[in-house]
Amino acid sequence: AQSVTQPDIHITVSEGASLELRCNYSYGATPYLFWYVQSPGQGLQLLLKYFSGDTLVQGIKGFEAEFKRSQSSFNLRKPSVHWSDAAEYFCAVGAGAGSYQLTFGKGTKLSVIP
Amino acid sequence: DGGITQSPKYLFRKEGQNVTLSCEQNLNHDAMYWYRQDPGQGLRLIYYSQIVNDFQKGDIAEGYSVSREKKESFPLTVTSAQKNPTAFYLCASREDRAVSYNEQFFGPGTRLTVL
């Protein structure tokens, strides 16, 4: 079975600083990887996804993520954080085509200092 | 606008009562999902359905029941057998296309509190 680890429960950055949120997955084959964002009391919104091809994936709101198979990682990055980026971020893995399920990490809460 | 609606947004229940959470989608998606979210626990899958009149248990199905009589609707009943039902419940849907692994789209959630 697949699993996802987000090592950082809570990260605080200053507005304008760069951001990297870590995600490590466990899965025997090529995974399908996702990053979602959740504002308090809201549903989840997809930021980006990786299926195959270019390992650097661009998403919405200026986010990108890089798939590194050798490290089983899919870290989320943003060069300059805005106060509106404060939210909780979830990494998820899907176990191959035909699988209907996603496995989510426990999330990383991002706080932004003005 | 296409999307997923969940109602109500807030729900209060007395212990021993069953309660049903609504989830409707107009995206024409085949698959639908229910998740439970607790602080610091991420999302845990309760039930999912790939087609009408069929559904599968997820990781934490005990104390919950679902039905899928229509493609656009996937209601979740939290029964009195669920020992700790206070949580945030999220519904999601996904288009089933064999050529790729599609993302799940989420509704705004229902916060259930047991009094």
Side-chain angles (χ1 to χ4, degrees), chain A residues 4-11 21-22 35-36 38 87-92 104-110, chain B residues 37-38 40-43:
Chain A
V4 177
T5 301
Q6 294 181 246
D8 303 305
I9 296 173
H10 190 186
I11 285 181
L21 301 181
R22 296 183 291 166
W35 274 101
Y36 285 87
Q38 184 183 34
E88 192 156 18
Y89 292 79
F90 293 93
C91 181
F104 286 84
K106 295 187 176 182
T108 297
K109 183 177 180 181
L110 174 65
Chain B
Q37 186 177 24
D38 298 282
Q41 295 299 312
L43 278 70

PDB file of all heavy atoms in Angstrom, chain A residues 4-11 21-22 35-36 38 87-92 104-110, chain B residues 37-38 40-43:
ATOM      1  N   VAL A   4       2.138   8.488   2.343  1.00  0.00           N
ATOM      2  CA  VAL A   4       2.677   9.825   2.125  1.00  0.00           C
ATOM      3  C   VAL A   4       3.095  10.402   3.466  1.00  0.00           C
ATOM      4  O   VAL A   4       2.346  10.326   4.439  1.00  0.00           O
ATOM      5  CB  VAL A   4       1.628  10.748   1.466  1.00  0.00           C
ATOM      6  CG1 VAL A   4       2.176  12.160   1.323  1.00  0.00           C
ATOM      7  CG2 VAL A   4       1.198  10.202   0.121  1.00  0.00           C
ATOM      8  N   THR A   5       4.276  11.006   3.481  1.00  0.00           N
ATOM      9  CA  THR A   5       4.764  11.662   4.693  1.00  0.00           C
ATOM     10  C   THR A   5       5.052  13.124   4.405  1.00  0.00           C
ATOM     11  O   THR A   5       5.790  13.439   3.461  1.00  0.00           O
ATOM     12  CB  THR A   5       6.049  10.994   5.203  1.00  0.00           C
ATOM     13  OG1 THR A   5       5.785   9.619   5.485  1.00  0.00           O
ATOM     14  CG2 THR A   5       6.528  11.672   6.473  1.00  0.00           C
ATOM     15  N   GLN A   6       4.467  13.981   5.205  1.00  0.00           N
ATOM     16  CA  GLN A   6       4.801  15.403   5.170  1.00  0.00           C
ATOM     17  C   GLN A   6       5.489  15.700   6.502  1.00  0.00           C
ATOM     18  O   GLN A   6       4.837  15.796   7.534  1.00  0.00           O
ATOM     19  CB  GLN A   6       3.535  16.250   4.978  1.00  0.00           C
ATOM     20  CG  GLN A   6       2.886  16.030   3.614  1.00  0.00           C
ATOM     21  CD  GLN A   6       1.649  16.876   3.421  1.00  0.00           C
ATOM     22  OE1 GLN A   6       0.535  16.359   3.314  1.00  0.00           O
ATOM     23  NE2 GLN A   6       1.837  18.181   3.347  1.00  0.00           N
ATOM     24  N   PRO A   7       6.805  15.834   6.481  1.00  0.00           N
ATOM     25  CA  PRO A   7       7.562  15.891   7.742  1.00  0.00           C
ATOM     26  C   PRO A   7       7.297  17.134   8.587  1.00  0.00           C
ATOM     27  O   PRO A   7       7.480  17.100   9.804  1.00  0.00           O
ATOM     28  CB  PRO A   7       9.020  15.873   7.273  1.00  0.00           C
ATOM     29  CG  PRO A   7       8.976  15.416   5.859  1.00  0.00           C
ATOM     30  CD  PRO A   7       7.667  15.845   5.314  1.00  0.00           C
ATOM     31  N   ASP A   8       6.883  18.203   7.947  1.00  0.00           N
ATOM     32  CA  ASP A   8       6.690  19.461   8.663  1.00  0.00           C
ATOM     33  C   ASP A   8       5.215  19.686   8.959  1.00  0.00           C
ATOM     34  O   ASP A   8       4.410  19.794   8.044  1.00  0.00           O
ATOM     35  CB  ASP A   8       7.237  20.623   7.826  1.00  0.00           C
ATOM     36  CG  ASP A   8       8.691  20.425   7.481  1.00  0.00           C
ATOM     37  OD1 ASP A   8       9.483  20.236   8.426  1.00  0.00           O
ATOM     38  OD2 ASP A   8       9.025  20.441   6.291  1.00  0.00           O
ATOM     39  N   ILE A   9       4.870  19.756  10.241  1.00  0.00           N
ATOM     40  CA  ILE A   9       3.480  19.982  10.626  1.00  0.00           C
ATOM     41  C   ILE A   9       3.113  21.442  10.418  1.00  0.00           C
ATOM     42  O   ILE A   9       2.023  21.770   9.956  1.00  0.00           O
ATOM     43  CB  ILE A   9       3.263  19.574  12.087  1.00  0.00           C
ATOM     44  CG1 ILE A   9       3.498  18.066  12.252  1.00  0.00           C
ATOM     45  CG2 ILE A   9       1.861  19.950  12.560  1.00  0.00           C
ATOM     46  CD1 ILE A   9       3.469  17.594  13.684  1.00  0.00           C
ATOM     47  N   HIS A  10       4.062  22.344  10.761  1.00  0.00           N
ATOM     48  CA  HIS A  10       3.770  23.774  10.708  1.00  0.00           C
ATOM     49  C   HIS A  10       5.040  24.506  10.267  1.00  0.00           C
ATOM     50  O   HIS A  10       6.126  24.238  10.794  1.00  0.00           O
ATOM     51  CB  HIS A  10       3.323  24.266  12.096  1.00  0.00           C
ATOM     52  CG  HIS A  10       2.779  25.652  12.101  1.00  0.00           C
ATOM     53  ND1 HIS A  10       2.431  26.304  13.267  1.00  0.00           N
ATOM     54  CD2 HIS A  10       2.520  26.530  11.100  1.00  0.00           C
ATOM     55  CE1 HIS A  10       1.973  27.520  12.969  1.00  0.00           C
ATOM     56  NE2 HIS A  10       2.021  27.671  11.657  1.00  0.00           N
ATOM     57  N   ILE A  11       4.892  25.392   9.312  1.00  0.00           N
ATOM     58  CA  ILE A  11       6.004  26.217   8.823  1.00  0.00           C
ATOM     59  C   ILE A  11       5.571  27.671   8.842  1.00  0.00           C
ATOM     60  O   ILE A  11       4.439  27.990   8.468  1.00  0.00           O
ATOM     61  CB  ILE A  11       6.420  25.794   7.402  1.00  0.00           C
ATOM     62  CG1 ILE A  11       7.195  24.479   7.449  1.00  0.00           C
ATOM     63  CG2 ILE A  11       7.262  26.871   6.740  1.00  0.00           C
ATOM     64  CD1 ILE A  11       7.657  24.001   6.092  1.00  0.00           C
ATOM     65  N   LEU A  21       7.819  23.080   0.736  1.00  0.00           N
ATOM     66  CA  LEU A  21       7.105  22.129   1.574  1.00  0.00           C
ATOM     67  C   LEU A  21       7.478  20.726   1.113  1.00  0.00           C
ATOM     68  O   LEU A  21       7.391  20.409  -0.072  1.00  0.00           O
ATOM     69  CB  LEU A  21       5.592  22.337   1.462  1.00  0.00           C
ATOM     70  CG  LEU A  21       5.066  23.723   1.849  1.00  0.00           C
ATOM     71  CD1 LEU A  21       3.545  23.767   1.723  1.00  0.00           C
ATOM     72  CD2 LEU A  21       5.508  24.109   3.244  1.00  0.00           C
ATOM     73  N   ARG A  22       7.835  19.890   2.070  1.00  0.00           N
ATOM     74  CA  ARG A  22       8.343  18.575   1.734  1.00  0.00           C
ATOM     75  C   ARG A  22       7.250  17.510   1.694  1.00  0.00           C
ATOM     76  O   ARG A  22       6.298  17.552   2.488  1.00  0.00           O
ATOM     77  CB  ARG A  22       9.421  18.173   2.747  1.00  0.00           C
ATOM     78  CG  ARG A  22      10.656  19.061   2.710  1.00  0.00           C
ATOM     79  CD  ARG A  22      11.699  18.558   3.692  1.00  0.00           C
ATOM     80  NE  ARG A  22      11.285  18.750   5.085  1.00  0.00           N
ATOM     81  CZ  ARG A  22      11.882  18.165   6.105  1.00  0.00           C
ATOM     82  NH1 ARG A  22      12.874  17.308   5.903  1.00  0.00           N
ATOM     83  NH2 ARG A  22      11.465  18.415   7.340  1.00  0.00           N
ATOM     84  N   TRP A  35      -0.643  17.979  -5.196  1.00  0.00           N
ATOM     85  CA  TRP A  35      -0.639  18.918  -4.086  1.00  0.00           C
ATOM     86  C   TRP A  35      -1.967  19.672  -4.086  1.00  0.00           C
ATOM     87  O   TRP A  35      -2.392  20.219  -5.106  1.00  0.00           O
ATOM     88  CB  TRP A  35       0.496  19.922  -4.204  1.00  0.00           C
ATOM     89  CG  TRP A  35       1.803  19.466  -3.637  1.00  0.00           C
ATOM     90  CD1 TRP A  35       2.882  18.983  -4.312  1.00  0.00           C
ATOM     91  CD2 TRP A  35       2.185  19.473  -2.255  1.00  0.00           C
ATOM     92  NE1 TRP A  35       3.892  18.676  -3.441  1.00  0.00           N
ATOM     93  CE2 TRP A  35       3.506  18.967  -2.177  1.00  0.00           C
ATOM     94  CE3 TRP A  35       1.547  19.859  -1.064  1.00  0.00           C
ATOM     95  CZ2 TRP A  35       4.196  18.835  -0.973  1.00  0.00           C
ATOM     96  CZ3 TRP A  35       2.226  19.729   0.133  1.00  0.00           C
ATOM     97  CH2 TRP A  35       3.536  19.233   0.173  1.00  0.00           C
ATOM     98  N   TYR A  36      -2.590  19.696  -2.890  1.00  0.00           N
ATOM     99  CA  TYR A  36      -3.817  20.434  -2.689  1.00  0.00           C
ATOM    100  C   TYR A  36      -3.594  21.486  -1.601  1.00  0.00           C
ATOM    101  O   TYR A  36      -2.763  21.312  -0.706  1.00  0.00           O
ATOM    102  CB  TYR A  36      -4.948  19.516  -2.211  1.00  0.00           C
ATOM    103  CG  TYR A  36      -5.559  18.622  -3.259  1.00  0.00           C
ATOM    104  CD1 TYR A  36      -5.019  17.375  -3.554  1.00  0.00           C
ATOM    105  CD2 TYR A  36      -6.713  19.014  -3.941  1.00  0.00           C
ATOM    106  CE1 TYR A  36      -5.612  16.542  -4.493  1.00  0.00           C
ATOM    107  CE2 TYR A  36      -7.314  18.188  -4.872  1.00  0.00           C
ATOM    108  CZ  TYR A  36      -6.760  16.953  -5.144  1.00  0.00           C
ATOM    109  OH  TYR A  36      -7.353  16.142  -6.081  1.00  0.00           O
ATOM    110  N   GLN A  38      -5.796  23.988   1.287  1.00  0.00           N
ATOM    111  CA  GLN A  38      -7.065  24.133   1.992  1.00  0.00           C
ATOM    112  C   GLN A  38      -7.031  25.365   2.896  1.00  0.00           C
ATOM    113  O   GLN A  38      -6.194  25.445   3.797  1.00  0.00           O
ATOM    114  CB  GLN A  38      -7.368  22.891   2.834  1.00  0.00           C
ATOM    115  CG  GLN A  38      -8.713  22.930   3.532  1.00  0.00           C
ATOM    116  CD  GLN A  38      -8.952  21.720   4.418  1.00  0.00           C
ATOM    117  OE1 GLN A  38      -8.039  21.181   5.029  1.00  0.00           O
ATOM    118  NE2 GLN A  38     -10.207  21.257   4.494  1.00  0.00           N
ATOM    119  N   ALA A  87      -2.302  28.824   4.642  1.00  0.00           N
ATOM    120  CA  ALA A  87      -3.310  27.768   4.472  1.00  0.00           C
ATOM    121  C   ALA A  87      -2.667  26.456   4.904  1.00  0.00           C
ATOM    122  O   ALA A  87      -1.537  26.420   5.377  1.00  0.00           O
ATOM    123  CB  ALA A  87      -3.776  27.689   3.014  1.00  0.00           C
ATOM    124  N   GLU A  88      -3.408  25.373   4.699  1.00  0.00           N
ATOM    125  CA  GLU A  88      -2.843  24.051   4.930  1.00  0.00           C
ATOM    126  C   GLU A  88      -2.663  23.360   3.586  1.00  0.00           C
ATOM    127  O   GLU A  88      -3.533  23.437   2.712  1.00  0.00           O
ATOM    128  CB  GLU A  88      -3.740  23.212   5.846  1.00  0.00           C
ATOM    129  CG  GLU A  88      -3.065  21.944   6.350  1.00  0.00           C
ATOM    130  CD  GLU A  88      -3.652  21.418   7.644  1.00  0.00           C
ATOM    131  OE1 GLU A  88      -4.781  21.801   7.999  1.00  0.00           O
ATOM    132  OE2 GLU A  88      -2.965  20.616   8.314  1.00  0.00           O
ATOM    133  N   TYR A  89      -1.544  22.677   3.455  1.00  0.00           N
ATOM    134  CA  TYR A  89      -1.177  22.067   2.181  1.00  0.00           C
ATOM    135  C   TYR A  89      -1.077  20.549   2.356  1.00  0.00           C
ATOM    136  O   TYR A  89      -0.456  20.062   3.305  1.00  0.00           O
ATOM    137  CB  TYR A  89       0.156  22.640   1.690  1.00  0.00           C
ATOM    138  CG  TYR A  89       0.037  24.098   1.304  1.00  0.00           C
ATOM    139  CD1 TYR A  89       0.039  25.086   2.275  1.00  0.00           C
ATOM    140  CD2 TYR A  89      -0.110  24.475  -0.028  1.00  0.00           C
ATOM    141  CE1 TYR A  89      -0.104  26.423   1.922  1.00  0.00           C
ATOM    142  CE2 TYR A  89      -0.243  25.804  -0.387  1.00  0.00           C
ATOM    143  CZ  TYR A  89      -0.240  26.771   0.603  1.00  0.00           C
ATOM    144  OH  TYR A  89      -0.384  28.085   0.251  1.00  0.00           O
ATOM    145  N   PHE A  90      -1.684  19.851   1.415  1.00  0.00           N
ATOM    146  CA  PHE A  90      -1.712  18.393   1.466  1.00  0.00           C
ATOM    147  C   PHE A  90      -1.089  17.804   0.205  1.00  0.00           C
ATOM    148  O   PHE A  90      -1.444  18.189  -0.912  1.00  0.00           O
ATOM    149  CB  PHE A  90      -3.149  17.878   1.588  1.00  0.00           C
ATOM    150  CG  PHE A  90      -3.802  18.215   2.897  1.00  0.00           C
ATOM    151  CD1 PHE A  90      -4.570  19.366   3.026  1.00  0.00           C
ATOM    152  CD2 PHE A  90      -3.650  17.387   3.999  1.00  0.00           C
ATOM    153  CE1 PHE A  90      -5.165  19.685   4.227  1.00  0.00           C
ATOM    154  CE2 PHE A  90      -4.250  17.701   5.210  1.00  0.00           C
ATOM    155  CZ  PHE A  90      -5.011  18.856   5.317  1.00  0.00           C
ATOM    156  N   CYS A  91      -0.213  16.845   0.423  1.00  0.00           N
ATOM    157  CA  CYS A  91       0.345  16.051  -0.654  1.00  0.00           C
ATOM    158  C   CYS A  91      -0.438  14.736  -0.715  1.00  0.00           C
ATOM    159  O   CYS A  91      -0.856  14.215   0.335  1.00  0.00           O
ATOM    160  CB  CYS A  91       1.817  15.784  -0.374  1.00  0.00           C
ATOM    161  SG  CYS A  91       2.690  14.839  -1.620  1.00  0.00           S
ATOM    162  N   ALA A  92      -0.659  14.220  -1.925  1.00  0.00           N
ATOM    163  CA  ALA A  92      -1.417  12.986  -2.069  1.00  0.00           C
ATOM    164  C   ALA A  92      -0.808  12.133  -3.166  1.00  0.00           C
ATOM    165  O   ALA A  92      -0.248  12.653  -4.144  1.00  0.00           O
ATOM    166  CB  ALA A  92      -2.885  13.282  -2.379  1.00  0.00           C
ATOM    167  N   PHE A 104      -3.580  10.555   1.329  1.00  0.00           N
ATOM    168  CA  PHE A 104      -3.150  11.907   1.671  1.00  0.00           C
ATOM    169  C   PHE A 104      -2.147  11.904   2.812  1.00  0.00           C
ATOM    170  O   PHE A 104      -2.209  11.064   3.729  1.00  0.00           O
ATOM    171  CB  PHE A 104      -4.355  12.753   2.095  1.00  0.00           C
ATOM    172  CG  PHE A 104      -5.239  13.161   0.968  1.00  0.00           C
ATOM    173  CD1 PHE A 104      -6.226  12.308   0.490  1.00  0.00           C
ATOM    174  CD2 PHE A 104      -5.088  14.397   0.363  1.00  0.00           C
ATOM    175  CE1 PHE A 104      -7.050  12.678  -0.564  1.00  0.00           C
ATOM    176  CE2 PHE A 104      -5.909  14.786  -0.689  1.00  0.00           C
ATOM    177  CZ  PHE A 104      -6.883  13.920  -1.156  1.00  0.00           C
ATOM    178  N   GLY A 105      -1.220  12.870   2.767  1.00  0.00           N
ATOM    179  CA  GLY A 105      -0.401  13.150   3.923  1.00  0.00           C
ATOM    180  C   GLY A 105      -1.215  13.880   4.969  1.00  0.00           C
ATOM    181  O   GLY A 105      -2.374  14.252   4.736  1.00  0.00           O
ATOM    182  N   LYS A 106      -0.608  14.095   6.127  1.00  0.00           N
ATOM    183  CA  LYS A 106      -1.334  14.724   7.221  1.00  0.00           C
ATOM    184  C   LYS A 106      -1.352  16.246   7.136  1.00  0.00           C
ATOM    185  O   LYS A 106      -1.978  16.905   7.974  1.00  0.00           O
ATOM    186  CB  LYS A 106      -0.766  14.269   8.558  1.00  0.00           C
ATOM    187  CG  LYS A 106      -0.989  12.785   8.787  1.00  0.00           C
ATOM    188  CD  LYS A 106      -0.574  12.353  10.184  1.00  0.00           C
ATOM    189  CE  LYS A 106      -0.927  10.873  10.383  1.00  0.00           C
ATOM    190  NZ  LYS A 106      -0.590  10.397  11.748  1.00  0.00           N
ATOM    191  N   GLY A 107      -0.665  16.784   6.165  1.00  0.00           N
ATOM    192  CA  GLY A 107      -0.744  18.216   5.927  1.00  0.00           C
ATOM    193  C   GLY A 107       0.353  19.015   6.585  1.00  0.00           C
ATOM    194  O   GLY A 107       0.931  18.611   7.599  1.00  0.00           O
ATOM    195  N   THR A 108       0.651  20.170   5.968  1.00  0.00           N
ATOM    196  CA  THR A 108       1.571  21.157   6.527  1.00  0.00           C
ATOM    197  C   THR A 108       0.843  22.489   6.582  1.00  0.00           C
ATOM    198  O   THR A 108       0.349  22.968   5.546  1.00  0.00           O
ATOM    199  CB  THR A 108       2.838  21.312   5.673  1.00  0.00           C
ATOM    200  OG1 THR A 108       3.548  20.085   5.654  1.00  0.00           O
ATOM    201  CG2 THR A 108       3.734  22.411   6.236  1.00  0.00           C
ATOM    202  N   LYS A 109       0.777  23.054   7.775  1.00  0.00           N
ATOM    203  CA  LYS A 109       0.124  24.348   7.919  1.00  0.00           C
ATOM    204  C   LYS A 109       1.150  25.451   7.702  1.00  0.00           C
ATOM    205  O   LYS A 109       2.218  25.442   8.315  1.00  0.00           O
ATOM    206  CB  LYS A 109      -0.498  24.495   9.309  1.00  0.00           C
ATOM    207  CG  LYS A 109      -1.259  25.794   9.493  1.00  0.00           C
ATOM    208  CD  LYS A 109      -1.918  25.867  10.860  1.00  0.00           C
ATOM    209  CE  LYS A 109      -2.688  27.168  11.034  1.00  0.00           C
ATOM    210  NZ  LYS A 109      -3.329  27.259  12.373  1.00  0.00           N
ATOM    211  N   LEU A 110       0.838  26.360   6.806  1.00  0.00           N
ATOM    212  CA  LEU A 110       1.738  27.462   6.487  1.00  0.00           C
ATOM    213  C   LEU A 110       1.210  28.752   7.095  1.00  0.00           C
ATOM    214  O   LEU A 110       0.070  29.150   6.838  1.00  0.00           O
ATOM    215  CB  LEU A 110       1.861  27.636   4.980  1.00  0.00           C
ATOM    216  CG  LEU A 110       2.665  28.854   4.507  1.00  0.00           C
ATOM    217  CD1 LEU A 110       4.124  28.715   4.921  1.00  0.00           C
ATOM    218  CD2 LEU A 110       2.546  29.036   3.006  1.00  0.00           C
TER     219      LEU A 110
ATOM    220  N   GLN B  37     -12.046  14.440   8.012  1.00  0.00           N
ATOM    221  CA  GLN B  37     -10.837  15.180   8.352  1.00  0.00           C
ATOM    222  C   GLN B  37     -10.868  15.568   9.817  1.00  0.00           C
ATOM    223  O   GLN B  37     -11.814  16.205  10.288  1.00  0.00           O
ATOM    224  CB  GLN B  37     -10.703  16.442   7.478  1.00  0.00           C
ATOM    225  CG  GLN B  37      -9.398  17.173   7.677  1.00  0.00           C
ATOM    226  CD  GLN B  37      -9.254  18.375   6.769  1.00  0.00           C
ATOM    227  OE1 GLN B  37     -10.227  18.951   6.299  1.00  0.00           O
ATOM    228  NE2 GLN B  37      -8.019  18.765   6.489  1.00  0.00           N
ATOM    229  N   ASP B  38      -9.841  15.177  10.537  1.00  0.00           N
ATOM    230  CA  ASP B  38      -9.639  15.569  11.925  1.00  0.00           C
ATOM    231  C   ASP B  38      -8.339  16.351  12.007  1.00  0.00           C
ATOM    232  O   ASP B  38      -7.416  16.093  11.235  1.00  0.00           O
ATOM    233  CB  ASP B  38      -9.576  14.334  12.832  1.00  0.00           C
ATOM    234  CG  ASP B  38     -10.864  13.531  12.827  1.00  0.00           C
ATOM    235  OD1 ASP B  38     -11.802  13.972  13.508  1.00  0.00           O
ATOM    236  OD2 ASP B  38     -10.935  12.497  12.145  1.00  0.00           O
ATOM    237  N   GLY B  40      -4.783  17.514  12.285  1.00  0.00           N
ATOM    238  CA  GLY B  40      -3.516  16.795  12.309  1.00  0.00           C
ATOM    239  C   GLY B  40      -3.550  15.384  11.747  1.00  0.00           C
ATOM    240  O   GLY B  40      -2.550  14.675  11.805  1.00  0.00           O
ATOM    241  N   GLN B  41      -4.692  14.985  11.181  1.00  0.00           N
ATOM    242  CA  GLN B  41      -4.818  13.608  10.687  1.00  0.00           C
ATOM    243  C   GLN B  41      -4.921  13.514   9.172  1.00  0.00           C
ATOM    244  O   GLN B  41      -5.001  12.408   8.627  1.00  0.00           O
ATOM    245  CB  GLN B  41      -6.057  12.948  11.306  1.00  0.00           C
ATOM    246  CG  GLN B  41      -5.972  12.767  12.798  1.00  0.00           C
ATOM    247  CD  GLN B  41      -4.815  11.872  13.192  1.00  0.00           C
ATOM    248  OE1 GLN B  41      -4.630  10.802  12.623  1.00  0.00           O
ATOM    249  NE2 GLN B  41      -4.018  12.316  14.138  1.00  0.00           N
ATOM    250  N   GLY B  42      -4.940  14.609   8.487  1.00  0.00           N
ATOM    251  CA  GLY B  42      -5.117  14.546   7.050  1.00  0.00           C
ATOM    252  C   GLY B  42      -6.531  14.101   6.700  1.00  0.00           C
ATOM    253  O   GLY B  42      -7.469  14.267   7.494  1.00  0.00           O
ATOM    254  N   LEU B  43      -6.693  13.526   5.524  1.00  0.00           N
ATOM    255  CA  LEU B  43      -7.992  13.049   5.066  1.00  0.00           C
ATOM    256  C   LEU B  43      -8.008  11.530   5.085  1.00  0.00           C
ATOM    257  O   LEU B  43      -7.083  10.894   4.585  1.00  0.00           O
ATOM    258  CB  LEU B  43      -8.273  13.528   3.630  1.00  0.00           C
ATOM    259  CG  LEU B  43      -8.811  14.942   3.461  1.00  0.00           C
ATOM    260  CD1 LEU B  43      -7.758  15.974   3.787  1.00  0.00           C
ATOM    261  CD2 LEU B  43      -9.330  15.140   2.056  1.00  0.00           C
TER     262      LEU B  43
END
